[in-house]
Structure formats: structure tokens, C-alpha cells
Amino acid sequence: MWLKPEEILLKNALKLWVTEKGNEYFVLQRRRGYGEGGGGLTGLLVGTLDTMLDSTSKVAPFRILHQTPDSQIYWSIACGGTKEEINQHWEWLEKNLMRTLSVFDSSDDITSFVQGKIRGLIAEEGKVSGVQEDDPEKFREALLRFEKWFDLPQKEKLVTYYSCSYWRGRVPCQGWNCQASSIYLSSISSSVKLVVSWNEIWRLEKTSNVILTESIHVLANGEDHYFSMFLHLSETFLIMEQLADYSIKRLFDKETFQEEPSLSDPLQITKRGLETNARNEQFRAFFRLPKEENLLEVYESFLWVPFSHYNTLGKICLSESYLCFASQDGSQCHVIIPMREARHSKPDRSSRALTVCVRGKRALRFSEVRDFDRLSNAINRRCGMTASPQHSASTEQSWNIHFSEYGRGTSMFCTKKTRDLIVRGVPEALRGELWMLFSGAVNDMAINPGYYSEIVDQSLGTSTLATDEIERDLHRSLPEHPAFQSDTGISALRRVLTAYAYRNPKIGYCQAMNILTSVLLLYAKEEEAFWLLVAICERMLPDYFNRRIIGALVDQAVFEELIRMHLTQLTEHMTDLTFFSSVSLSWFLTLFISVLPIESAVNVVDCFFYDGIKAILQLGLAVLDYNMEGLISSNDDAEAVTILSKFFDNVTNKDSPLPQTVQQNSVGNNDKASSLSKVDISDLIKEAYEKYGDMKSEEVERMRKRNKLYVIQTLEDTTKQNVLRVVSQEVKFNPSQLDNLYALFKRQHFLSCYWTMNSPVLLHHDPSLAYLEQYQLGFHQFRLLFTLLEPWSLCSGNDALFLWAFRLLDENQDGLVNFKEFCCALDILYSGTFTTKLKFLFKLHQPPEESLYRAVARVTSLLLRMEEVGRRLQEPTSPQKSTTSPTQAALEGALLDREACSTPERSSDTPSATITLEAGSIPQEVEWSFAFEQILASLLNEPVLVRFFERPVDIQARLDHAKGAQLKAKTNKTQTKNKLDSCS
């Protein structure tokens, strides 16, 4: 265990301890009397003494001391009861500290750093990890420190914390890595405090270099940050990765996580909840299970593999509706048993074995199961739910042999032999069945009986942007294929695409979906094609089919990374790999269907449904490798595209039963292509698996996550530039000020998305809107930001003014204001002339209802006329001398001007206001109201008011103040709610 560093005198301890190993900074010692070579009489005496002592007074037999070369003082930092325990501590020191200590110039700095690091490790070992609801004492102390150090909004919630070192250049600073629930990653040390928003991170990865053996690299706002010397680096990175991904999905994709209760409320996020969510995602992805399934229990056991005649060690993973098994490395074999297929289980307590009988007279035997009774009860509760759909049998010999040995249907063993058969190509008659099985679509359809028919009835006849686009693309899918040259095939394609657009309006319909669905309909029934499309769009190719095609761009970035790793000769010749990004986009979006002849492309789809995106990445590398010589010798991108196009035209499938007349891009139509050598698709896929098949699916998923942050931030940066380019034409802000305004507006938008569960921003989010409309503010967030930026000091009760401004800017009355509208209002207040500012305020104070406006105007006119008449009656009537005051003269002039400017038309139902007095009569009253020009003319006579409105505003100072105050605003929830209620 790690010890609080204490100074010791080694001189007096030499007779009691033996040095086992040492280096420049640390010494590992064994107490005499323990282990080999007891140390003679001294060792015997020491051992006897230690044996006689009380257990609380005994000295641990092993210890580690710290000492610098320039010092004679030693510090005890660790002890251990066994050699294995103390060696673990020694290895950690050598791995994490030795290189780091060499960068210090002073021995005092070395000792101070080591002491701080050891104290941090002790505190981390003492904390209760991930149990926020229990709120242990250690966590409470850390929470108090977190709130004191960072002064973040009260809503911010500390999820977990880790002792680590933060690197300032080449010098490490010992401190804490504190991870908050919403959008903050915080780090503090004795000399530095850092706060980074999760949504500002461009790259998050584990890395190593000459000085740092293992560290976490964070790229945010153009700056690199490195954290190292974690006690549990993998655990730390997992939580950071989960929090970053959570923020991205919530802020950029506007997901509300309704199906994940532990993540739906940011205030309730815990370390345990994040770890559970990560396990569930990995579980569903590996076994291709529906998104409703969560991993409930894991049991270690052996599974009897009948075709190999031995037991393989692995883990049983149990969810509510599935029992899954995967061998230790995951590649040897795995099997999925839906509980609807299980009939009963037979326990054998003597060997802790359990035999699960499934439909079709098959049985799977699990042995040496830990917690045997619990698993047996769990399976018995779930056995025999509902029957699954059946598929027609096939006479294909190779697959029939496989089915007889490995089983058929959902509980089939998936092994290396299964993959070998897939690589050779799936028989035509089996494609629909196996695609449904390997994609997991068979499970979706089984648990949703009648869903497709119901959604078809609801969706047909609707008219939306998606249905219009579907109609436009129906005849462009596979026009050469006979199946889509009649109304039967076109109608089926229409129903599937329309039903999916109705099911998932967030995606709706995107180009390339029609091509994929056309191929699915060739080999699967209509309902099966629908569920295959669901599996592709929602599980296997996430975020592919939307306006920004983020998923495809992420996989392109992964593809570039793999090219650098495996095709170094190509990267040396073509340092700019953006060409491969552009040319490979259709490969990923259509699974090579758009570039390969259809009879060859279906073999690629076979591999995709079995191995996922890994199969597409492997094939892409094989294609580039096959054309390496031509690509290296090409002079420009156009020539490289021609080389790849000719190659694809010459890929054939010798096993395809399709006639030549329906093949896409038939090579017979291209004389130049016909002169090139033919390549069989099975050989190409086999080569891809042989050269690049050792790529792990887990590694691909890690690469996806690592590149997703960078891709999204790049798109966000492009969106920002487009928005600023449009807005800059309307306002007078300089580029730097506009950039700062955008950052403030975007952050306020994110705060609304993150904390307000039912905010208008989330309720009205439409990903199909133009980039200018993607970030908007509801009234509450508008009021908070406008308060920080408006240039005048107003009274505290100014919510009414903000509400009027919000209504004025919200021209389409959807309860939201976009960035352009917000900037235009600020531009008037900051840079407008006296006239434009006054006109803006005049518009704010116009009553919204015309009838009320006219009524107020008539009453005001009547009162003013009565006052004027009263004054005239009290004045002496003298034609020679006028006693009218300047104010009265101005008022009379204003009234005469208004009468001259007023329109003669009057409503027939509006009564005239007349006044009859004994001293005389006043002519019939006309309708009266203030005009803006009259107000302006009056105010121009007051220089004080003019100077107030025209005084310059320090825009940058306001922006800097808002940036610092925006995240520190601590709003009382009750007061906020009352204000919102009163404004609504």
C-alpha cells in the first residue's frame, strides 16, 4: 500500500533491512528475517521480534523508499506484505515516474513532486469509486474542493476525480483531474488551473512519447493538454470518453436519452451509470442486439463445442431477452440464444453445469458456471417467450453441412468456419435468411409483430419533404434490374422507404438509402427488407444517413488512419489523403454497390452483415493495395479516379446466376476496360481478409470514437464560417467581435439544450434546417445573454423590455431567435445612429394589439385637447398680445402637424370624440396618435438625450465580461420560473 511520505534515518535502519533493488530515485528493501537468506542471527532476532509483536504494531516485510542523488534523506512511500504486492508498486513507479523525474533540475522539486503524487494516489485509493448516491466522506470532501476551486454554476455536478499530473511544457504539475457531469473537464495543481468544456474538445486519445509512457491527450481550442500518471488510466479514459460522447450527442444531435434513464437527466449522471452505459453499448454492438437490450449479468463458464469436441472458456452475457456466449478472445466462437427459442434448462449441481434446450431439438451445455443457481433461475424465468419467424430451407451443400454441425437460426454457433463461408459468398437462396440473422434484424422483427403493416398504413398517403424525395429517386435505384422495371418492385420500394421515413423522422430519407433498399428487396421479403434497413441505419452505420453524414465522414477519417498504418508506400507518394476521402464516400454510403457490378457487390454486403464496417474498411485497403502501382504513377486525382473506376468495372463474380444484361456497368460496354484483367470478387475479399483481417472490431470502434470528435468539430467550424459570412454582411461588428458573439450565443444555446429538459430549442429542433437556424435561443436563454450584452444599465424589473425585444426579433413567432436576428439587434444598440436606436426602441414599445393602440390614442387625444381648452379659457383674450408659452406652442404645433399628416379615412364604427363647452365650441375631433417623427423632433431639442444614445460603447469589453460571466451565473430556479411565468 502507498504510505504518506515520512522522513526516516536510513543509517540506523541498515541492520534491520536488506536492499533488494534500487535506482537513482527509489530503493526497495526487505526486512531481515523474511524470504530467502534470513540474514543470520540478526535476521532471526528481527523475525522473532516481529512475530511476538501485536498485529497492529507489526512492520510490513517490504518497503519502498525515495531519495534523490543530492540528498541523504530518505522518505518511506510504500509498504507491502508480500513480494508480489511490493513489486506491483515498484513497477508502477518505474513505468510512470522514472522518465518524468529526469526533467527536473532541482532535487527539492523532485522530492516535492513525488510526495504530491503519492498523496494523490493515497486519496484516490481511499475514495469509494462511482457511488454518488451513497455520498461517502471522501467524495464529499472532493466535491467541496471542486466547488471551491472552480466556481462553476451550481448545477454542475462532479462525477468522479483522479489523481494525475498535468504537463506544462516539459514540467509535470501534480494535481487532480475532476470530471463534471455536463460540459467541463477540470484540472488543478499547485500552479495551474484548467477548465475545458467537453463540447470544445477536438481530440481525445491515449498516447505515449519519450517522456510519457502512457498519458491522455486532449486537444481543445487549438491547445494540446497532456495528463499522465493515473493509477487507473484505462478507467479514467473510459469515463472521459463517455462524458465527451454524451455531451456531443446531447448538444449537437439533441438526443434526450429517454431509453437510458441513468443518462436522461444531467443532474443524475454518475460514474457507475456511465460505465454501465459503455458496457451496454459494447454488448449490443458485439451481438447485434436491439437497442432496448441491456446487459444484466455476466457469468464465467465453459461451453461444450460439439463440432470441436472440447470445452471453450468464455463468458455468458444475459439480458432480458437473450442469453449470449463469447469465447475468451471473442473470435473463436460466439452464440446468441433468444429466450423465445429456449424451451427449458436442465441443471446439474454436481458439476455446476446447465444444459439449455432450444427449439429444433438442440441443446447447449454450460459447465463450471460461477453463481450457478442464480443463472439457472434467471434462464428458467425467461424460457419460451414467443416463436421466431422461420425461413425456407436450402439445398446448398456447404451450408447444409455447416447447419448440421453448428446449428441453424438465431442460436447458430458463429465461428471462423462461418466467416470462411461468408468470404466465399452466400448462396442466393440463403442471403435473406443470413442477412437477417447476422444483422440482428431477425430479433427486431420477432419482437415487433405487425409493426411494419401498421406503419405502412399510417405512412402511405402522407406528403412530406421525405416522400417527395423518395418519389424522385424511385426510378433511379436499380433501373437495369428487371425487379424494378415494373410497378410491383417500385411499389415495394416506395412502401419500405416511406415507412422508414415515418418511423424515424430524424433521418427521414437520404440519398443512397434507395440503392441499399433495392438490393435488400432482391433477397429478402418486404418486411424483412424494412428491418434490415432499420439495422443498417440505426445500428450498423450510425449517423450515416442524415444531412451532415457524420458517420460516413468518421469512417473516412478511420480509413485515412488505416491507410497510413498499412499502406506506407502510398502515403509516402500521396501525403494529402483527402483524395481518398472524396473517392471513398460512395464506398461507405452504398457498401460498394454504386461502384461494383451488382452481382459482385452483394458479396460485399454478405461480409458487411457479418463483420460490420470492418469488412468495408478491409476491402477498401485491398482495393488501394491492388492498384498501388497505378495510383503511385498517376499524375493527378482525375487519373487516379479513372484507374479505380476501370478496376471496379472489371470485378466479376463467377458464381453469380444473374444474366449479363442486368449487370451494372457491364464490362462489355467498355472496350478499354475489357482489355484489362478480370478480378473475381471472392478472390478480392479473400485477399482483404488475409492481409487486414487481424483488425479488431473493438479497435475500429475506438478509432471511430477518437475521430468523431475531430469530424464534428471540423463541421462545426465550417458551419460557423458560413454563418459569420452571412451575418457579417448585415452588421458592423469586426470579424473578431462576431466570432466572440457566436461563441457566446452557441454556448448559451448549449446550456439550454443541456439543462432544460423541455426547452423550445429541443422541442423545435429540426436537423434539416439551414445552418443559420441550427442554433437558436428561447426567451429564457435570450434574456440571460441579452442581459450580459445590452449596452445600457436598466432597472432590475426589465423582463418586460426583454420580452418585447424577443417578440420583435422573433419574426416567425416560433418562440426562438437565431444568431442573425440576435446580432442585428445588438448591432443597432452598439453601432446604430441616434435615429435607428430610437426607432428600434419605438418599435419595442408599440402595443401588439391594433384595437388597444387606437383606443389609447383616442383617450390620449381627448385628454390633451381638454387640457389645452382649459388653458385657453383661463387666458385673457387679447388680439394684440399672445401669452402662449413655448411648451404650449410646441404642443399646438405638434397637434397641427399630426392633423395635417393624419389620413382622412376613418372606420365607420369608430365614434368621434367631441367636446362642447359653454364658452364656445371646439370643432369636431379627429383621431390622434403620436408619430415617430414627432417624438424624434421633440427629442432632438434635448442634447442630453442625444448624447446618451450616441455615446460610443466598448464592444470588446462587453464581450469579455459576458464570456466570463456566462458560465458563472448562478440563477435561482424559483425566481427564474416565476419570471418566465409572468412573461408568458
Side-chain angles (χ1 to χ4, degrees):
M1 61 181 290
W2 300 107
L3 301 175
K4 181 179 178 181
E6 291 186 0
E7 183 179 341
I8 64 171
L9 293 176
L10 194 61
K11 181 178 180 180
N12 298 331
L14 288 176
K15 296 181 180 179
L16 301 178
W17 296 89
V18 178
T19 299
E20 297 247 317
K21 60 179 72 173
N23 56 44
E24 192 175 3
Y25 303 107
F26 303 101
V27 175
L28 189 153
Q29 294 184 330
R30 170 178 52 85
R31 193 165 175 82
R32 291 185 183 274
Y34 292 90
E36 297 179 0
L41 181 59
T42 303
L44 180 62
L45 292 174
V46 173
T48 303
L49 178 64
D50 289 345
T51 304
M52 295 174 61
L53 288 174
D54 182 75
S55 59
T56 59
S57 304
K58 286 184 178 179
V59 179
F62 298 95
R63 70 179 184 181
I64 296 177
L65 307 178
H66 161 67
Q67 183 212 26
T68 59
D70 301 334
S71 173
Q72 298 298 318
I73 301 174
Y74 286 78
W75 299 84
S76 62
I77 59 173
C79 67
T82 63
K83 195 168 187 177
E84 292 75 15
E85 180 185 0
I86 203 67
N87 279 335
Q88 288 180 357
H89 288 66
W90 181 264
E91 290 171 2
W92 190 93
L93 292 171
E94 285 189 326
K95 182 179 180 181
N96 291 279
L97 287 189
M98 288 302 297
R99 294 184 187 179
T100 303
L101 298 183
S102 62
V103 305
F104 289 98
D105 297 327
S106 167
S107 59
D108 292 338
D109 291 341
I110 294 176
T111 299
S112 177
F113 180 80
V114 171
Q115 290 176 344
K117 186 64 198 173
I118 299 303
R119 291 191 185 97
L121 295 177
I122 294 171
E124 188 173 342
E125 282 186 336
K127 76 178 181 181
V128 181
S129 299
V131 191
Q132 166 62 14
E133 55 270 20
D134 295 341
D135 201 18
E137 188 64 30
K138 289 287 184 182
F139 195 92
R140 277 199 297 268
E141 293 176 4
L143 183 59
L144 291 174
R145 289 198 302 267
F146 172 77
E147 294 175 348
K148 177 183 176 182
W149 289 338
F150 297 106
D151 192 28
L152 294 177
Q154 290 178 335
K155 287 182 177 180
E156 278 307 328
K157 175 179 176 296
L158 178 64
V159 175
T160 188
Y161 59 97
Y162 297 95
S163 171
C164 72
S165 293
Y166 173 73
W167 287 78
R168 300 182 67 184
R170 296 176 60 87
V171 178
C173 305
Q174 175 58 30
W176 294 94
N177 177 288
C178 303
Q179 299 170 22
S181 61
S182 66
I183 52 175
Y184 302 106
L185 160 70
S186 309
S187 178
I188 191 168
S189 71
S190 58
S191 55
V192 63
K193 182 166 70 172
L194 172 72
V195 177
V196 178
S197 297
W198 292 113
N199 62 288
E200 295 173 347
I201 294 177
W202 283 63
R203 191 170 293 280
L204 178 66
E205 59 187 345
K206 287 190 287 188
T207 185
S208 61
N209 54 38
V210 177
I211 298 178
L212 303 176
T213 306
E214 284 186 316
S215 63
I216 296 177
H217 171 218
V218 177
L219 173 61
N221 298 321
E223 297 182 359
D224 293 295
H225 306 284
Y226 291 92
F227 303 88
S228 67
M229 285 175 277
F230 290 96
L231 189 60
H232 306 288
L233 185 134
S234 297
E235 174 190 302
T236 309
F237 184 76
L238 173 66
I239 298 299
M240 293 175 69
E241 196 174 53
Q242 285 286 300
L243 282 169
D245 187 60
Y246 174 79
S247 293
I248 290 295
K249 288 179 178 178
R250 190 170 189 91
L251 301 178
F252 293 101
D253 300 334
K254 307 299 185 292
E255 289 190 22
T256 54
F257 299 91
Q258 295 301 323
E259 297 174 358
E260 296 286 346
S262 62
L263 301 181
S264 59
D265 184 358
L267 290 173
Q268 303 303 321
I269 292 180
T270 62
K271 176 173 174 286
R272 177 183 292 176
L274 292 169
E275 290 173 334
T276 301
N277 182 66
R279 286 195 299 268
N280 289 336
E281 286 181 345
Q282 186 178 9
F283 168 66
R284 289 190 292 262
F286 184 86
F287 293 109
R288 306 278 172 80
L289 297 180
K291 59 184 179 182
E292 297 82 10
E293 295 300 315
N294 291 316
L295 181 60
L296 300 179
E297 300 170 7
V298 178
Y299 303 86
E300 189 174 287
S301 75
F302 287 88
L303 172 64
W304 173 252
V305 185
F307 47 84
S308 298
H309 304 290
Y310 71 92
N311 284 311
T312 180
L313 178 63
K315 291 183 178 180
I316 299 172
C317 301
L318 189 66
S319 70
E320 186 62 36
S321 305
Y322 296 88
L323 184 150
C324 307
F325 177 88
S327 57
Q328 246 181 347
D329 60 357
S331 60
Q332 188 174 0
C333 78
H334 70 269
V335 62
I336 304 168
I337 307 174
M339 289 294 101
R340 60 179 182 274
E341 299 282 341
R343 290 294 171 259
H344 59 276
S345 61
K346 299 177 181 179
D348 182 358
R349 297 183 180 279
S350 60
S351 60
R352 290 185 297 135
L354 189 68
T355 302
V356 180
C357 301
V358 297
R359 190 175 50 78
K361 299 182 179 179
R362 295 186 60 238
L364 292 92
R365 188 174 188 273
F366 302 94
S367 59
E368 298 186 32
V369 182
R370 294 185 180 180
D371 208 349
F372 164 80
D373 292 328
R374 185 175 179 180
L375 175 62
S376 178
N377 294 334
I379 293 177
N380 287 331
R381 286 197 307 269
R382 294 172 171 83
C383 277
M385 297 169 68
T386 57
S388 62
Q390 295 301 300
H391 300 272
S392 58
S394 169
T395 57
E396 300 293 330
Q397 185 176 5
S398 297
W399 280 93
N400 277 339
I401 295 173
H402 183 276
F403 291 148
S404 65
E405 292 184 2
Y406 299 87
R408 185 170 189 174
T410 50
S411 57
M412 179 179 72
F413 282 93
C414 294
T415 66
K416 185 178 182 299
K417 188 173 182 180
T418 311
R419 180 179 280 109
D420 292 340
L421 288 175
I422 293 290
V423 170
R424 288 162 51 187
V426 176
E428 298 277 313
L430 288 175
R431 276 210 165 95
E433 175 186 351
L434 294 178
W435 286 1
M436 290 288 289
L437 176 65
F438 296 139
S439 67
V442 64
N443 297 315
D444 292 319
M445 190 169 74
I447 61 178
N448 293 285
Y451 175 84
Y452 177 67
S453 299
E454 179 182 345
I455 203 171
V456 166
D457 294 338
Q458 295 173 355
S459 61
L460 286 181
T462 58
S463 179
T464 62
L465 178 61
T467 57
D468 294 341
E469 293 176 342
I470 289 172
E471 289 297 326
R472 184 186 62 209
D473 290 347
L474 282 176
H475 296 278
R476 304 177 184 176
S477 303
L478 294 180
E480 300 89 354
H481 201 284
F484 299 99
Q485 293 175 357
S486 66
D487 185 63
T488 303
I490 295 295
S491 297
L493 180 60
R494 178 187 292 112
R495 286 191 294 271
V496 173
L497 292 175
T498 305
Y500 185 78
Y502 186 85
R503 164 191 168 87
N504 192 343
K506 183 178 179 181
I507 292 178
Y509 169 77
C510 297
Q511 287 187 341
M513 288 174 65
N514 60 318
I515 297 176
L516 289 174
T517 307
S518 300
V519 174
L520 299 178
L521 284 168
L522 294 179
Y523 299 99
K525 298 175 183 178
E526 187 176 317
E527 183 178 4
E528 294 173 343
F530 170 79
W531 288 112
L532 284 169
L533 185 62
V534 170
I536 291 173
C537 296
E538 299 177 10
R539 191 161 57 241
M540 301 187 72
L541 296 179
D543 298 325
Y544 260 62
F545 303 99
N546 53 37
R547 185 177 61 89
R548 300 196 294 174
I549 57 172
I550 289 175
L553 296 177
V554 169
D555 285 340
Q556 282 183 312
V558 173
F559 189 50
E560 285 187 22
E561 196 171 332
L562 292 172
I563 292 174
R564 291 188 178 93
M565 291 169 56
H566 297 282
L567 303 176
T568 54
Q569 187 179 356
L570 188 61
T571 56
E572 289 173 0
H573 177 75
M574 304 178 69
T575 54
D576 184 8
L577 299 183
T578 54
F579 162 75
F580 298 110
S581 295
S582 59
V583 78
S584 65
L585 182 60
S586 61
W587 304 359
F588 294 105
L589 284 173
T590 66
L591 308 180
F592 282 93
I593 295 172
S594 63
V595 293
L596 284 173
I598 186 173
E599 72 277 4
S600 301
V602 291
N603 285 41
V604 180
V605 181
D606 295 339
C607 299
F608 167 75
F609 278 124
Y610 189 81
D611 275 322
I613 195 61
K614 183 171 86 79
I616 306 300
L617 294 168
Q618 291 173 179
L619 184 61
L621 292 174
V623 167
L624 297 182
D625 192 13
Y626 195 94
N627 294 276
M628 177 79 73
E629 184 177 345
L631 292 173
I632 290 177
S633 61
S634 61
N635 297 316
D636 51 36
D637 290 352
E639 186 177 346
V641 170
T642 303
I643 292 171
L644 293 175
S645 299
K646 290 179 179 179
F647 170 78
F648 287 130
D649 288 343
N650 282 274
V651 177
T652 62
N653 187 349
K654 62 179 183 295
D655 298 323
S656 174
L658 293 178
Q660 185 75 11
T661 56
V662 301
Q663 295 182 12
Q664 289 182 317
N665 305 321
S666 175
V667 296
N669 298 329
N670 190 330
D671 295 335
K672 293 182 179 180
S674 61
S675 64
L676 300 175
S677 59
K678 305 294 189 295
V679 180
D680 188 75
I681 187 63
S682 295
D683 295 336
L684 184 62
I685 292 176
K686 183 179 179 182
E687 182 177 349
Y689 272 88
E690 287 177 351
K691 287 188 174 182
Y692 312 109
D694 56 349
M695 187 191 312
K696 299 288 186 182
S697 297
E698 294 81 2
E699 179 59 27
V700 172
E701 288 302 317
R702 282 194 290 269
M703 294 170 72
R704 271 179 158 180
K705 289 184 177 180
R706 183 167 64 246
N707 286 281
K708 183 178 181 180
L709 291 171
Y710 185 81
V711 167
I712 287 180
Q713 296 292 8
T714 302
L715 288 174
E716 285 295 310
D717 194 57
T718 303
T719 299
K720 181 181 76 170
Q721 298 306 322
N722 291 333
V723 171
L724 297 186
R725 186 177 64 253
V726 172
V727 176
S728 63
Q729 301 172 8
E730 306 288 335
V731 298
K732 299 182 180 66
F733 295 114
N734 63 43
S736 175
Q737 293 166 348
L738 208 54
D739 190 274
N740 289 336
L741 268 176
Y742 185 86
L744 291 167
F745 191 90
K746 180 178 176 181
R747 181 175 293 170
Q748 201 68 45
H749 168 90
F750 281 172
L751 292 174
S752 176
C753 295
Y754 208 97
W755 297 117
T756 311
M757 308 301 291
N758 296 317
S759 69
V761 173
L762 287 176
L763 296 177
H764 295 87
H765 174 65
D766 184 357
S768 65
L769 292 176
Y771 51 77
L772 192 59
E773 303 290 334
Q774 288 300 305
Y775 295 140
Q776 298 176 308
L777 299 182
F779 170 69
H780 174 57
Q781 297 298 330
F782 169 84
R783 181 178 63 83
L784 293 176
L785 186 56
F786 204 74
T787 303
L788 296 175
L789 292 172
E790 53 87 12
W792 302 318
S793 300
L794 301 173
C795 60
S796 58
N798 53 13
D799 280 336
L801 178 61
F802 292 140
L803 181 59
W804 294 338
F806 183 80
R807 286 175 175 173
L808 178 64
L809 299 177
D810 182 18
E811 295 181 358
N812 60 357
Q813 297 183 352
D814 62 349
L816 298 170
V817 169
N818 64 34
F819 180 66
K820 180 181 178 182
E821 295 165 338
F822 187 83
C823 284
C824 289
L826 282 180
D827 184 58
I828 293 174
L829 299 181
Y830 282 144
S831 307
T833 64
F834 172 69
T835 303
T836 56
K837 290 179 181 179
L838 198 58
K839 188 175 292 186
F840 179 77
L841 292 179
F842 179 75
K843 290 179 180 179
L844 291 186
H845 289 80
Q846 282 184 319
E849 298 184 12
E850 182 67 19
S851 60
L852 179 61
Y853 172 76
R854 291 185 176 276
V856 171
R858 286 195 297 271
V859 172
T860 305
S861 176
L862 178 61
L863 293 174
L864 289 172
R865 291 277 183 177
M866 290 174 65
E867 181 187 13
E868 180 65 20
V869 170
R871 288 179 180 175
R872 288 182 178 179
L873 289 176
Q874 294 176 4
E875 293 173 358
T877 58
S878 174
Q880 288 85 12
K881 185 178 181 181
S882 174
T883 58
T884 305
S885 66
T887 304
Q888 292 171 336
L891 180 57
E892 291 175 0
L895 292 173
L896 292 174
D897 290 342
R898 180 64 187 96
E899 291 173 0
C901 298
S902 61
T903 138
E905 289 82 1
R906 289 175 46 82
S907 175
S908 59
D909 59 349
T910 303
S912 299
T914 60
I915 307 173
T916 303
L917 300 173
E918 293 181 1
S921 62
I922 301 297
Q924 184 173 344
E925 190 67 68
V926 295
E927 185 178 350
W928 183 90
S929 63
F930 281 117
F932 171 74
E933 290 76 9
Q934 293 170 309
I935 298 175
L936 177 61
S938 301
L939 292 177
L940 284 174
N941 293 319
E942 296 292 338
V944 174
L945 287 176
V946 175
R947 287 195 298 271
F948 174 78
F949 279 103
E950 290 190 339
R951 67 184 178 186
V953 178
D954 188 344
I955 301 174
Q956 192 59 50
R958 297 295 297 177
L959 292 174
D960 293 341
H961 169 73
K963 185 176 181 180
Q966 186 180 44
L967 295 179
K968 295 183 179 180
K970 300 182 178 181
T971 307
N972 184 286
K973 295 181 180 179
T974 305
Q975 292 178 350
T976 302
K977 184 178 185 302
N978 293 338
K979 290 181 179 180
L980 288 174
D981 292 342
S982 63
C983 291
S984 59

